[in-house]
Amino acid sequence: MSKATRTDPEPSAPHGADSHDLIRVLGARENNLKDVSIEIPKRRLTVFTGVSGSGKSSLVFNTIAAESQRLINETYSSFVQGFMPTLARPEVDVLEGLTTAIIVDQQRMGADPRSTVGTATDANAMLRILFSRLGKPHIGPPSAYAFNVPSVSASGAITVERGAKKAVKATFNRTGGMCVRCEGRGTVSDIDLTQLYDDSKSLNEGAITIPGYGSDGWNMRLYKESGFVDPDKPIRKYTKRELHDFLHHEPTRMKIAGINMTYEGLVPRIQKSMLSKDKEAMQPHIRAFVDRAVAFTVCPECEGTRLSEGARASKIKRISIADACAMQISDLAEWVRGLDEPSVAPLLAALRQTLDSFVEIGLGYLALNRPAGTLSGGEAQRVKMIRHLGSSLTDVTYVFDEPTAGLHPHDIQRMNDLLLRLRDKGNTVLVVEHKPETIVIADHVVDLGPGAGTGGGSVCFEGTVEELRKGGTVTGRHFDDRAKVKETPREPTGALEIRGASANNLRDVDVDIPLGVLVVVTGVAGSGKSSLVHGSIPGDEVVVSVDQAPIRGSRRSNPATYTGLLDPIRKAFAKANDVKPALFSANSEGACPTCNGAGVIYTDLAMMAGVATTCEDCEGKRFDASVLEYHLGGRDISEVLAMSVDEAVEFFGSGEAQTPAAQRVLARLADVGLGYLTLGQPLTTLSGGERQRLKLATHMADKGGVYVLDEPTTGLHLADVEQLLGLLDRLVDSGKSVIVVEHHQAVMAHADWIIDLGPGAGHDGGRLVFEGTPADLVAARSTLTGEHLAAYVGA
């Protein structure tokens, strides 16, 4: 076609497809959002700020990301959707311009004991292929190097139906790398039988002392009615045969009370039901029993490597796969770089890229055999990021939940570079964040608030970082806040002596932690802070540890049930109305019979997303109508649970409803900055920071004299940090000793004493590089922490 007859549009006219450059949200009402309407620019970095509980997660995760995932799931066949989580449509009028959302959150990784850093990424799979190709002696396919694949061999006849039936002899062999003794766990358990039963009693007298083996439960009936042992005979009088049948009998099918059940000895039953699970995932009373009854020791056969003898014997350049997984990842990356084998060149390139990503993201100090359940929330989030760093995907929406959690100021710059790199590839990056160091790099800022809970849920500000600084919002006013270093730190009343601490990467650390003051333990990520505080301080009853492990609770759990606040409230209602306290529990006698006290009815629509509808009988109040006729101080129980903590403080503080026991719990909740939470809000809707502070409020009543807090500023807005510092001061002034593992410079500056570990991470850390007052650290500037703290306080 000649130039004269071309009918192309003018070069300056934009193509219609390029006009979709905004994500439009209209009328978002998830959780506490109040009809939020907003436009978010695509292919830019947008940071969402606001006080804790202002609605950031509700907008970003529960509305934008949730709807994107739901729409993608609906593109799959009904069969595939049956295997996916069913997501309900968020409460929002219009969502336009969505792209595929990839959520990188801080949920801890699975607590499966066989899940490691290597299995959670592709690193282990690539190493297994590498060893199956190059390992000497050759022992088999990649599965032969996998600690979660057992070796299997079988033989028999299979029938082939082709015309006349024909039986063919066949054998099946699979070589796995699992250690036979510990079944790929790396540890073996030794059970203390005296903790399982009281041998002076008979079964009918309740001899078994294991949780869940009550006298009238099915577990106990199984042993009483099995016929293998006499239920009226004390266990110490059992014959050898009876004791074997009671403790070690192999699984046997039998009928008990007309029900088919499997009888087996108490020891294998406990091993399957309790010891095969991760301890961290257990309920507290079961974990306490396991701690008492079971000693976990390194497997003597595989020496903790989880691998069979064959897998350990096969080596490349004198290194076995067990050695490779035990190396610090930065060292492993160097070792892989030294391998030059053309036959596996593409595999080596991919493995190098994955290992380099670990180093680049600041996790080079980990080892591939580190159990995934032991990673902190921030570390777990960064491990999940690794698979996205080398991704070729563009024009997707990456959603991050506080990516700087657990990062030293020194590491935050590295994280910022990664976020900008994802944006520059043409992706939309949405970040929920509180740290000014990360907010500063945003192209667009959305500030939610103005308060928390019912006081939040509105957009207070949209614009650039410079406009935010000049704006009058809470975030804008506190953006350039700087805590000052204490001029006169408190004097310690004693010291907690730690000698020769060598947990994980610690190198025989000797340190005296002052008591009666506020101590901050700091250092870059992976320097050994948690190893020192959690692994070396004696875990006795005088130490109260508030870590970041998630609160385990269903949607029926709420702040009132978790803190024990509901007990005095139920008793007060019962006393005022002369009825049973159980009536005022939505999980007991007072529950609405239609929804069983859940407040909503869940309808399973098979292949489609299930629907939750408010119960019509109780209108979501969760209680039977007859219970709501009983009042205390003019309010029924559902109205009390709908109160915020601040309202409840007034309600139970005086008048007819005065309840000192409830008042004490409520005062602690208000103390930790949770005054805006409603008493009946499901725990599943709380943010990570709110959960940790709820845990802190619960532990504040403990008798312990030493409080150990693990990054209490996680999820806290700049304005809330001041309140937290005030709380820590009150704890110290009341005679407690407070030890905080923290990176936040405001907490460091406020400390009476700083213990700095480093100088680097992994085997470059684990040493004491500074101990003294914050003022001395700023003056010396001898460590990375000192340099950043000096810059922060403007010294």
Side-chain angles (χ1 to χ4, degrees), residues 387-451:
R387 65 188 55 178
H388 304 303
L389 290 182
S391 168
S392 308
L393 289 172
T394 62
D395 243 336
V396 298
T397 301
Y398 283 98
V399 185
F400 290 95
D401 184 10
E402 279 193 70
T404 59
L407 285 184
H408 187 272
H410 173 68
D411 300 314
I412 289 178
Q413 187 55 49
R414 192 184 270 167
M415 176 59 71
N416 285 352
D417 292 342
L418 293 169
L419 295 174
L420 292 171
R421 183 145 45 107
L422 284 173
R423 176 203 67 185
D424 293 345
K425 276 168 64 176
N427 299 305
T428 306
V429 182
L430 309 181
V431 182
V432 172
E433 188 52 85
H434 294 292
K435 296 250 176 88
E437 298 98 317
T438 295
I439 298 172
V440 147
I441 64 165
D443 301 307
H444 189 70
V445 180
V446 176
D447 193 19
L448 287 139

Coordinates of all heavy atoms in Angstrom, one line a residue, residues 387-451:
R387 N 10.0 -16.5 44.1 CA 9.5 -17.1 42.8 C 9.0 -16.0 41.8 O 8.8 -16.3 40.7 CB 8.4 -18.1 43.1 CG 7.1 -17.6 43.7 CD 6.2 -18.7 44.1 NE 6.9 -19.6 45.0 CZ 6.3 -20.7 45.5 NH1 5.1 -20.9 45.3 NH2 7.0 -21.5 46.3
H388 N 8.8 -14.8 42.4 CA 8.2 -13.7 41.5 C 9.4 -12.9 40.9 O 9.2 -12.2 39.9 CB 7.3 -12.8 42.2 CG 6.1 -13.6 42.8 ND1 5.3 -14.4 42.1 CD2 5.7 -13.7 44.1 CE1 4.4 -14.9 42.9 NE2 4.6 -14.6 44.1
L389 N 10.6 -12.9 41.5 CA 11.6 -12.0 41.1 C 12.1 -12.3 39.6 O 12.3 -11.3 38.9 CB 12.8 -12.1 42.0 CG 12.6 -11.6 43.4 CD1 13.9 -11.7 44.2 CD2 12.2 -10.1 43.3
G390 N 12.2 -13.5 39.3 CA 12.7 -13.8 37.9 C 11.5 -14.1 37.0 O 11.7 -14.5 35.8
S391 N 10.3 -13.8 37.4 CA 9.1 -14.1 36.6 C 9.1 -13.2 35.3 O 9.4 -12.0 35.4 CB 7.9 -13.9 37.4 OG 6.7 -13.9 36.6
S392 N 8.6 -13.8 34.2 CA 8.5 -13.0 33.0 C 7.1 -12.3 32.9 O 6.8 -11.7 31.9 CB 8.6 -14.0 31.8 OG 9.8 -14.7 31.9
L393 N 6.2 -12.5 33.9 CA 4.9 -11.9 33.9 C 5.0 -10.4 34.0 O 5.8 -9.9 34.8 CB 4.1 -12.4 35.0 CG 3.6 -13.9 35.0 CD1 2.9 -14.3 36.3 CD2 2.6 -14.1 33.8
T394 N 4.2 -9.7 33.2 CA 4.1 -8.3 33.4 C 2.6 -7.9 33.4 O 1.7 -8.8 33.1 CB 4.8 -7.5 32.2 OG1 4.1 -7.8 31.0 CG2 6.2 -7.8 32.1
D395 N 2.3 -6.7 33.7 CA 0.9 -6.2 33.8 C 0.1 -7.0 34.8 O -1.1 -7.3 34.6 CB 0.3 -6.2 32.4 CG -0.1 -4.7 32.1 OD1 -0.3 -3.9 33.0 OD2 -0.2 -4.4 30.9
V396 N 0.7 -7.5 35.9 CA 0.0 -8.1 37.0 C 0.0 -7.2 38.2 O 0.8 -6.2 38.2 CB 0.5 -9.5 37.4 CG1 0.5 -10.5 36.2 CG2 2.0 -9.4 37.9
T397 N -0.9 -7.4 39.1 CA -0.9 -6.6 40.3 C -0.3 -7.4 41.5 O -0.8 -8.4 41.9 CB -2.4 -6.2 40.7 OG1 -3.0 -5.5 39.6 CG2 -2.4 -5.4 41.9
Y398 N 0.8 -6.9 42.0 CA 1.5 -7.5 43.2 C 1.0 -6.8 44.4 O 1.0 -5.5 44.5 CB 3.0 -7.3 43.1 CG 3.6 -8.3 42.1 CD1 4.0 -7.9 40.8 CD2 3.9 -9.6 42.5 CE1 4.6 -8.8 39.9 CE2 4.5 -10.5 41.6 CZ 4.8 -10.1 40.3 OH 5.4 -11.0 39.4
V399 N 0.5 -7.6 45.4 CA 0.0 -7.0 46.6 C 0.9 -7.4 47.8 O 1.0 -8.6 48.0 CB -1.5 -7.5 46.8 CG1 -2.1 -6.7 48.0 CG2 -2.3 -7.2 45.6
F400 N 1.5 -6.5 48.5 CA 2.4 -6.8 49.6 C 1.8 -6.3 50.9 O 1.3 -5.2 51.0 CB 3.7 -6.1 49.4 CG 4.5 -6.7 48.2 CD1 4.5 -6.1 47.0 CD2 5.3 -7.8 48.4 CE1 5.2 -6.7 45.9 CE2 6.0 -8.4 47.4 CZ 6.0 -7.8 46.1
D401 N 2.0 -7.1 52.0 CA 1.6 -6.7 53.3 C 2.8 -6.4 54.1 O 3.5 -7.3 54.5 CB 0.8 -7.9 53.9 CG 0.2 -7.5 55.3 OD1 0.3 -6.4 55.6 OD2 -0.3 -8.5 55.9
E402 N 3.1 -5.2 54.3 CA 4.3 -4.7 55.1 C 5.5 -5.5 54.8 O 6.0 -6.3 55.6 CB 4.0 -4.9 56.6 CG 3.1 -3.8 57.2 CD 3.1 -3.8 58.7 OE1 4.2 -3.5 59.3 OE2 2.1 -4.1 59.3
P403 N 6.1 -5.3 53.6 CA 7.2 -6.1 53.2 C 8.5 -5.8 54.0 O 9.4 -6.5 54.0 CB 7.5 -5.7 51.7 CG 6.7 -4.4 51.6 CD 5.6 -4.4 52.5
T404 N 8.5 -4.7 54.8 CA 9.6 -4.3 55.6 C 9.6 -5.0 57.0 O 10.5 -4.8 57.8 CB 9.8 -2.8 55.8 OG1 8.6 -2.3 56.4 CG2 9.9 -2.1 54.4
A405 N 8.5 -5.8 57.3 CA 8.4 -6.4 58.6 C 9.7 -7.3 58.9 O 10.0 -8.1 58.0 CB 7.2 -7.2 58.7
G406 N 10.3 -7.1 60.0 CA 11.4 -7.9 60.4 C 12.7 -7.5 59.7 O 13.7 -8.2 59.8
L407 N 12.7 -6.3 59.0 CA 13.9 -5.8 58.3 C 14.6 -4.7 59.1 O 13.9 -3.8 59.5 CB 13.6 -5.3 56.9 CG 13.3 -6.4 55.8 CD1 13.1 -5.7 54.5 CD2 14.4 -7.4 55.7
H408 N 15.9 -4.8 59.2 CA 16.7 -3.8 59.8 C 16.7 -2.6 58.8 O 16.6 -2.8 57.6 CB 18.2 -4.3 59.9 CG 19.1 -3.5 60.6 ND1 19.9 -2.5 60.0 CD2 19.4 -3.4 62.0 CE1 20.6 -1.9 60.9 NE2 20.4 -2.4 62.1
P409 N 16.9 -1.3 59.3 CA 16.9 -0.2 58.3 C 17.9 -0.4 57.2 O 17.7 0.1 56.1 CB 17.4 1.0 59.2 CG 16.9 0.6 60.6 CD 16.9 -0.9 60.7
H410 N 19.0 -1.1 57.5 CA 20.0 -1.4 56.4 C 19.5 -2.2 55.3 O 19.9 -2.1 54.1 CB 21.2 -2.1 57.1 CG 22.2 -2.6 56.1 ND1 23.0 -1.8 55.4 CD2 22.6 -3.9 55.8 CE1 23.8 -2.5 54.7 NE2 23.6 -3.8 54.8
D411 N 18.5 -3.1 55.6 CA 17.9 -4.0 54.6 C 16.8 -3.4 53.8 O 16.3 -3.9 52.8 CB 17.5 -5.3 55.2 CG 18.6 -6.1 55.9 OD1 19.7 -6.2 55.3 OD2 18.4 -6.5 57.0
I412 N 16.2 -2.3 54.4 CA 15.0 -1.8 53.8 C 15.2 -1.2 52.4 O 14.4 -1.4 51.5 CB 14.3 -0.7 54.7 CG1 13.7 -1.4 55.9 CG2 13.3 0.1 54.0 CD1 13.1 -0.4 57.0
Q413 N 16.4 -0.6 52.2 CA 16.8 -0.1 50.9 C 16.7 -1.2 49.8 O 16.3 -1.0 48.7 CB 18.1 0.6 50.9 CG 18.5 1.3 49.6 CD 17.5 2.4 49.3 OE1 17.1 3.2 50.1 NE2 17.0 2.3 48.0
R414 N 17.2 -2.4 50.2 CA 17.2 -3.5 49.3 C 15.8 -3.9 48.9 O 15.5 -4.2 47.7 CB 18.0 -4.6 50.0 CG 18.3 -5.8 49.1 CD 18.9 -6.9 50.0 NE 20.4 -6.8 50.1 CZ 21.1 -7.4 51.0 NH1 20.4 -8.2 51.8 NH2 22.3 -7.3 51.1
M415 N 14.9 -3.9 49.9 CA 13.5 -4.3 49.6 C 12.9 -3.2 48.7 O 12.1 -3.6 47.8 CB 12.8 -4.4 50.9 CG 11.3 -4.6 50.8 SD 10.9 -6.2 49.9 CE 11.4 -7.4 51.1
N416 N 13.2 -1.9 49.0 CA 12.6 -0.9 48.1 C 13.1 -1.1 46.6 O 12.2 -0.9 45.7 CB 13.2 0.5 48.6 CG 12.5 0.9 49.9 OD1 11.5 0.3 50.3 ND2 12.9 2.0 50.5
D417 N 14.3 -1.4 46.4 CA 14.8 -1.7 45.1 C 14.0 -2.8 44.4 O 13.7 -2.7 43.2 CB 16.3 -2.0 45.1 CG 17.2 -0.9 45.5 OD1 16.7 0.3 45.5 OD2 18.3 -1.1 45.9
L418 N 13.7 -3.8 45.1 CA 12.9 -5.0 44.5 C 11.5 -4.5 44.2 O 11.0 -4.9 43.1 CB 12.9 -6.1 45.5 CG 14.2 -6.8 45.8 CD1 14.1 -7.8 47.0 CD2 14.7 -7.6 44.6
L419 N 10.9 -3.7 45.0 CA 9.5 -3.2 44.7 C 9.5 -2.4 43.5 O 8.7 -2.5 42.6 CB 9.0 -2.5 45.9 CG 8.7 -3.2 47.2 CD1 8.3 -2.3 48.3 CD2 7.7 -4.3 47.0
L420 N 10.6 -1.5 43.4 CA 10.7 -0.6 42.2 C 11.0 -1.4 40.9 O 10.5 -1.1 39.9 CB 11.8 0.4 42.4 CG 11.4 1.5 43.5 CD1 12.7 2.3 43.8 CD2 10.3 2.3 43.1
R421 N 11.7 -2.5 41.1 CA 12.1 -3.3 39.9 C 10.8 -4.0 39.4 O 10.6 -4.1 38.2 CB 13.1 -4.4 40.3 CG 13.5 -5.2 39.1 CD 15.0 -5.6 39.1 NE 15.5 -6.1 40.4 CZ 15.8 -7.4 40.7 NH1 15.6 -8.3 39.7 NH2 16.2 -7.8 41.8
L422 N 10.0 -4.5 40.3 CA 8.7 -5.1 39.9 C 7.8 -4.1 39.2 O 7.2 -4.4 38.2 CB 7.9 -5.7 41.1 CG 8.5 -7.0 41.7 CD1 7.7 -7.3 43.0 CD2 8.3 -8.2 40.8
R423 N 7.8 -2.9 39.7 CA 7.0 -1.8 39.0 C 7.5 -1.5 37.6 O 6.8 -1.4 36.7 CB 7.0 -0.6 39.9 CG 6.3 0.6 39.3 CD 6.7 1.9 39.8 NE 8.1 2.2 39.4 CZ 8.8 3.3 39.9 NH1 8.3 4.1 40.7 NH2 10.1 3.5 39.5
D424 N 8.9 -1.4 37.5 CA 9.5 -1.0 36.3 C 9.3 -2.0 35.2 O 9.5 -1.8 34.0 CB 10.9 -0.7 36.5 CG 11.1 0.6 37.3 OD1 10.1 1.3 37.5 OD2 12.3 0.8 37.9
K425 N 9.0 -3.3 35.6 CA 8.7 -4.3 34.5 C 7.3 -4.1 34.0 O 6.9 -4.9 33.1 CB 8.8 -5.7 35.2 CG 10.2 -6.2 35.2 CD 10.4 -7.5 36.1 CE 9.6 -8.6 35.5 NZ 9.9 -9.8 36.4
G426 N 6.5 -3.1 34.5 CA 5.2 -2.9 33.9 C 4.1 -3.5 34.8 O 3.0 -3.7 34.3
N427 N 4.4 -3.7 36.1 CA 3.4 -4.2 37.0 C 2.8 -3.1 37.9 O 3.4 -2.1 38.2 CB 4.0 -5.3 37.9 CG 4.5 -6.5 37.0 OD1 3.8 -7.0 36.3 ND2 5.8 -6.8 37.2
T428 N 1.6 -3.4 38.4 CA 1.0 -2.5 39.4 C 1.4 -3.1 40.8 O 1.1 -4.3 41.0 CB -0.6 -2.6 39.3 OG1 -0.9 -2.2 37.9 CG2 -1.2 -1.6 40.2
V429 N 2.0 -2.3 41.6 CA 2.4 -2.7 42.9 C 1.7 -2.0 44.0 O 1.7 -0.8 44.1 CB 4.0 -2.5 43.1 CG1 4.4 -3.1 44.5 CG2 4.7 -3.2 42.0
L430 N 0.9 -2.7 44.8 CA 0.1 -2.2 45.9 C 0.8 -2.6 47.2 O 1.0 -3.8 47.4 CB -1.3 -2.6 45.9 CG -2.1 -2.5 44.5 CD1 -3.5 -3.0 44.7 CD2 -2.1 -1.0 44.1
V431 N 1.1 -1.7 48.1 CA 1.8 -2.0 49.3 C 1.1 -1.4 50.5 O 0.8 -0.2 50.5 CB 3.3 -1.5 49.3 CG1 4.1 -1.9 50.5 CG2 4.0 -2.0 48.0
V432 N 0.8 -2.3 51.5 CA 0.3 -1.8 52.8 C 1.5 -1.6 53.7 O 2.3 -2.5 53.9 CB -0.7 -2.8 53.4 CG1 -1.1 -2.4 54.8 CG2 -1.9 -2.9 52.6
E433 N 1.8 -0.4 54.1 CA 3.1 -0.1 54.8 C 2.9 1.1 55.8 O 2.1 1.9 55.7 CB 4.1 0.2 53.8 CG 5.5 0.3 54.3 CD 6.0 -0.9 55.1 OE1 6.5 -1.9 54.5 OE2 5.9 -0.8 56.3
H434 N 3.8 1.0 56.9 CA 3.8 2.1 57.9 C 5.1 2.8 57.9 O 5.2 3.9 58.4 CB 3.6 1.5 59.3 CG 2.2 0.9 59.5 ND1 1.1 1.7 59.5 CD2 1.8 -0.4 59.7 CE1 0.1 0.9 59.7 NE2 0.5 -0.4 59.8
K435 N 6.2 2.2 57.4 CA 7.5 2.8 57.6 C 7.8 3.9 56.6 O 7.6 3.7 55.4 CB 8.6 1.7 57.3 CG 8.6 0.5 58.3 CD 9.8 0.6 59.3 CE 9.7 -0.5 60.3 NZ 10.2 -1.8 59.9
P436 N 8.2 5.1 57.1 CA 8.4 6.2 56.2 C 9.4 5.9 55.1 O 9.4 6.4 54.0 CB 8.9 7.3 57.1 CG 8.5 6.9 58.5 CD 8.4 5.4 58.5
E437 N 10.4 5.1 55.4 CA 11.5 4.7 54.5 C 10.9 4.1 53.2 O 11.5 4.2 52.1 CB 12.5 3.8 55.1 CG 13.2 4.4 56.3 CD 12.6 3.9 57.6 OE1 11.4 3.9 57.7 OE2 13.4 3.6 58.5
T438 N 9.8 3.4 53.3 CA 9.2 2.8 52.1 C 8.1 3.6 51.5 O 7.9 3.7 50.3 CB 8.7 1.4 52.5 OG1 9.8 0.5 52.9 CG2 8.0 0.7 51.3
I439 N 7.4 4.4 52.4 CA 6.3 5.2 51.9 C 7.0 6.3 50.9 O 6.4 6.6 49.9 CB 5.6 6.0 53.0 CG1 4.9 4.9 53.9 CG2 4.6 7.0 52.5 CD1 4.3 5.5 55.2
V440 N 8.2 6.7 51.2 CA 8.9 7.7 50.4 C 9.1 7.3 49.0 O 9.1 8.2 48.1 CB 10.3 7.9 51.1 CG1 11.4 8.3 50.1 CG2 10.2 9.0 52.1
I441 N 9.1 6.0 48.6 CA 9.4 5.7 47.2 C 8.1 5.6 46.4 O 8.1 5.2 45.2 CB 10.2 4.3 47.1 CG1 9.3 3.2 47.7 CG2 11.5 4.4 47.8 CD1 9.9 1.8 47.3
A442 N 6.9 5.8 47.0 CA 5.7 5.6 46.3 C 5.4 6.6 45.2 O 5.8 7.8 45.4 CB 4.5 5.7 47.4
D443 N 4.8 6.2 44.2 CA 4.3 7.1 43.1 C 3.0 7.8 43.6 O 2.7 8.9 43.2 CB 4.1 6.4 41.8 CG 5.3 5.7 41.3 OD1 6.4 6.4 41.2 OD2 5.3 4.5 41.1
H444 N 2.2 7.0 44.4 CA 0.9 7.4 44.8 C 0.7 6.9 46.2 O 1.0 5.8 46.5 CB -0.1 6.8 43.8 CG -1.5 7.4 43.9 ND1 -1.9 8.6 43.6 CD2 -2.6 6.8 44.4 CE1 -3.2 8.8 43.8 NE2 -3.6 7.7 44.3
V445 N 0.1 7.8 47.0 CA -0.2 7.4 48.4 C -1.7 7.5 48.7 O -2.3 8.5 48.3 CB 0.6 8.3 49.4 CG1 0.3 7.8 50.9 CG2 2.1 8.2 49.2
V446 N -2.3 6.4 49.3 CA -3.7 6.5 49.8 C -3.7 6.3 51.3 O -3.1 5.4 51.8 CB -4.5 5.3 49.1 CG1 -5.9 5.4 49.6 CG2 -4.5 5.5 47.6
D447 N -4.2 7.3 52.0 CA -4.2 7.3 53.4 C -5.6 7.1 53.9 O -6.5 7.8 53.6 CB -3.7 8.7 54.0 CG -3.4 8.6 55.4 OD1 -3.2 7.5 56.0 OD2 -3.3 9.7 56.1
L448 N -5.8 6.0 54.7 CA -7.1 5.6 55.2 C -7.3 6.0 56.7 O -6.3 6.1 57.4 CB -7.4 4.1 55.0 CG -7.7 3.8 53.6 CD1 -7.0 2.5 53.2 CD2 -9.2 3.6 53.3
G449 N -8.5 6.2 57.1 CA -8.7 6.6 58.5 C -10.0 7.3 58.7 O -11.0 6.8 58.0
P450 N -10.2 8.3 59.5 CA -9.1 9.0 60.2 C -8.7 8.2 61.4 O -7.5 8.3 61.9 CB -9.7 10.3 60.6 CG -11.2 10.1 60.6 CD -11.4 9.1 59.6
G451 N -9.6 7.4 62.0 CA -9.2 6.6 63.1 C -9.2 5.1 62.8 O -8.9 4.7 61.7

